[in-house]
């Protein structure tokens, strides 16, 4: 009594040790390829502004224009709820949070565009615009007016524009270095990728820049924009996007779906190009599976229906945008593109409603899981991870407050990070 009893086994220790040795390389490969969530905030959207249009006042201007649209077309909580179908019990809180967000931080992620939104220009003109973009971004981070994430979208790696894209990237990064260094929120976007070798070329380019400027290897990451059929399915029948993540050698931060280029490449007529078209759903499902567990995040695309004109027309565009954002959120695409300042009210209204309407249920399930209290749903560790991730995303964007989460779950932010697998 008091001593641990032994149980009978048949296998020698050498069998277990042999299996461990045989799978050591697999263990290492799993750890390398699937590190899990990067543990950082993911913006709810990306705003693209042409390189020649971006100024020091662009972020505030977007916020002011969004507030003006809200005041003109949905001046109070009831009006906004009636247009978008927001539950009555959430309407006042969502409306107040949207207004506060547009005042405090209207844009979470800004990309200064030197690709489609900028177009071909004389070299001297693009040189000047790229240098100016670096100066403005560096100044914004210095004076505290920057968005959490900012950077550029360069031209792609196709032969016709490759040299121009490389030069613009070099000018922009060099300008940031000369102005004091690369900001933590720096994001670069590589568009129209068709072959994994183009991703490899981007890696080699960034390696060369890091070496030239004495930066730590791997310091600079980038997004891969999925805009062509070849980026989803290659000529060999393989999922090209998975090869692209591998080719990025740990530098890929996210995959962005390009609604209109991808739809056009599939032959979808202009009138039917949309985030909810079947070709879009197929592409995004492949992206989702390829990125799962890798730490590479996902972004949906945009709608090109702008909320401008008379109120009835704005309301129609708002309902469309709100519905598409909600659809993306339900499909675990927590980020998307916004093309106009008047898209911001419906972006945040959709996001805030999504997180607030599920707050109490998610918190209760997570609290029961932690307390092993059971309940009418038996959750597993993977579900607890998803519940924690849901609450963390709500906290990151301002949809919910840490005091609410603590009251409902008894958990701290550190507890949520641990449950969600964030480092």
């Amino acid at each position: 009594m008091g001593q641990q009893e032994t149980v009978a086994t048949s296998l020698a220790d050498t069998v277990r040790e042999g299996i461990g040795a045989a799978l050591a390389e697999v263990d290492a490969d799993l750890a390398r390829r699937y590190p899990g969530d990067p543990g950082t905030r993911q913006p709810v959207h990306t705003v693209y502004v042409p390189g020649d249009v971006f100024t020091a006042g662009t972020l505030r201007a977007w916020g002011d224009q969004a507030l003006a649209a809200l005041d003109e077309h949905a001046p109070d909580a009831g009006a906004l709820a009636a247009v978008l179908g927001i539950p009555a019990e959430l309407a006042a809180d969502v409306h107040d949070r949207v207004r506060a967000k547009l005042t405090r931080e209207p844009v979470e992620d800004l990309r200064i565009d030197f690709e489609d939104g900028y177009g071909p220009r004389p070299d001297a003109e693009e040189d000047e615009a790229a240098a100016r973009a670096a100066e403005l971004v560096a100044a914004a981070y210095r004076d505290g007016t920057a968005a959490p994430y900012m950077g550029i979208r360069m031209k792609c790696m196709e032969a016709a524009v490759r040299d121009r894209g490389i030069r613009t990237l070099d000018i922009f990064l060099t300008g940031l270095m000369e102005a004091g260094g690369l900001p933590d929120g720096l994001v670069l976007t590589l568009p129209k990728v068709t072959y994994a070798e183009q991703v490899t070329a981007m890696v080699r380019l960034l390696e060369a820049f890091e070496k030239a400027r004495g930066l730590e290897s791997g310091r600079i990451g980038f997004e891969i924009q999925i805009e062509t059929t070849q980026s989803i399915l290659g000529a060999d029948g393989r999922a090209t996007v998975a090869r692209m993540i591998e080719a990025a050698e740990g530098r890929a931060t996210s995959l962005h779906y390009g609604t209109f280029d991808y739809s056009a490449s599939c032959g979808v007529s202009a009138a039917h190009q949309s985030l909810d078209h079947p070709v879009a759903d197929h592409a995004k499902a492949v992206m989702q599976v390829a990125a799962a567990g890798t730490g590479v995040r996902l972004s949906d695309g945009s709608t090109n229906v702008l909320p401008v004109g008379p109120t009835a027309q704005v309301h129609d565009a708002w309902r469309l945008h709100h519905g598409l954002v909600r659809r993306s959120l339900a499909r675990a695409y927590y980020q998307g593109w916004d093309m106009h300042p008047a898209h911001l009210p419906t972006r945040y209204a959709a996001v805030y409603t999504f997180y607030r309407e599920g707050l109490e249920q998610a918190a209760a399930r997570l609290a029961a899981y932690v307390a092993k209290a059971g309940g009418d749903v038996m959750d597993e560790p993977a579900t607890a991870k998803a519940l924690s991730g849901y609450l963390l995303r709500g906290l990151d964007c301002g949809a919910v407050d840490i005091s609410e989460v603590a009251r409902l779950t008894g958990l701290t932010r550190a507890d949520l990070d641990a449950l969600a697998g964030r480092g």
Side-chain angles (χ1 to χ4, degrees), residues 50-53 113-122 125-127 129-130 155:
D52 59 334
V53 174
D113 192 18
F114 288 93
E115 202 231 357
D116 284 349
Y118 185 75
R121 306 289 180 94
E125 184 178 339
E126 185 160 342
D127 283 355
K155 290 178 171 62

Side-chain angles (χ1 to χ4, degrees), residues 47-384:
V47 164
Y48 281 76
V49 177
D52 59 334
V53 174
F54 178 65
T55 70
T58 293
L59 294 173
R60 187 61 264 151
W62 271 63
D64 291 343
Q65 291 175 56
L67 284 166
L70 189 62
D71 289 341
E72 180 178 357
H73 302 294
D76 54 45
L80 186 66
V83 174
L84 303 181
I86 297 171
E89 65 273 16
L90 297 178
D93 190 43
V94 167
H95 185 267
D96 289 348
R97 286 176 185 270
V98 169
R99 286 198 62 88
K101 180 72 168 181
L102 295 175
T103 302
R104 181 186 74 254
E105 187 185 76
V107 176
E108 292 197 355
D109 184 26
L110 176 77
R111 207 69 69 250
I112 305 167
D113 192 18
F114 288 93
E115 202 231 357
D116 284 349
Y118 185 75
R121 306 289 180 94
D123 283 339
E125 184 178 339
E126 185 160 342
D127 283 355
E128 182 180 355
R132 179 171 160 274
E135 293 172 2
L136 291 171
V137 169
Y141 278 103
R142 280 197 306 270
D143 64 25
T145 60
Y149 299 95
M150 296 180 74
I152 67 169
R153 177 168 71 168
M154 60 189 284
K155 290 178 171 62
C156 69
M157 285 290 181
E158 293 177 358
V161 294
R162 182 186 306 138
D163 289 350
R164 181 62 260 181
I166 291 172
R167 181 172 174 82
T168 296
L169 179 64
D170 187 7
I171 292 170
F172 179 71
L173 293 177
T174 299
L176 290 177
M177 292 298 297
E178 295 294 322
L182 304 182
D184 290 340
L186 174 68
V187 188
L188 306 174
T189 305
L190 180 65
K192 292 183 174 62
V193 184
T194 52
Y195 279 70
E197 288 80 2
Q198 293 168 330
V199 175
T200 299
M202 184 68 165
V203 172
R204 300 288 89 82
L205 178 62
L206 296 177
E207 284 178 342
F209 186 88
E210 289 164 348
K211 184 176 181 180
R213 301 298 307 209
L215 295 170
E216 177 186 359
S217 178
R219 165 65 180 86
I220 309 173
F222 60 96
E223 302 169 334
I224 301 170
Q225 205 156 12
I226 304 301
E227 302 178 90
T228 67
T229 55
Q230 295 93 338
S231 62
I232 294 298
L233 189 67
D236 58 1
R238 297 169 64 188
T240 316
V241 66
R243 295 181 57 216
M244 290 176 180
I245 293 172
E246 176 71 10
E249 299 177 19
R251 293 178 186 264
T253 57
S254 58
L255 304 174
H256 283 235
Y257 176 69
T259 308
F260 304 104
D261 282 290
Y262 187 87
S263 297
S265 73
C266 288
V268 179
S269 61
H272 297 285
Q273 293 174 1
S274 175
L275 296 180
D276 57 357
H277 193 281
V279 303
D281 285 341
H282 171 259
K284 289 182 286 187
V286 175
M287 291 164 61
Q288 194 166 40
V289 173
T294 65
V296 176
R297 286 169 166 163
L298 300 168
S299 175
D300 213 333
S302 63
T303 175
N304 60 358
V305 179
L306 303 184
V308 297
T311 294
Q313 185 172 317
V314 170
H315 285 179
D316 286 343
W318 272 358
R319 279 188 284 268
L320 173 66
H321 183 240
H322 183 267
L324 290 171
V325 174
R326 287 280 309 194
R327 186 179 190 273
S328 296
L329 291 168
R331 286 157 174 77
Y333 269 76
Y334 301 113
Q335 185 176 351
W337 297 4
D338 288 324
M339 307 298 287
H340 190 276
H343 279 140
L344 300 186
T346 38
R347 168 69 60 180
Y348 290 121
V351 169
Y352 289 176
T353 302
F354 178 78
Y355 289 114
R356 293 208 64 78
E357 68 188 2
L359 171 61
E360 292 193 4
Q361 183 184 52
R365 288 177 65 179
L366 189 60
Y369 171 84
V370 172
K372 307 299 182 187
D376 58 354
V377 178
M378 182 175 292
D379 288 321
E380 297 184 354
T383 305

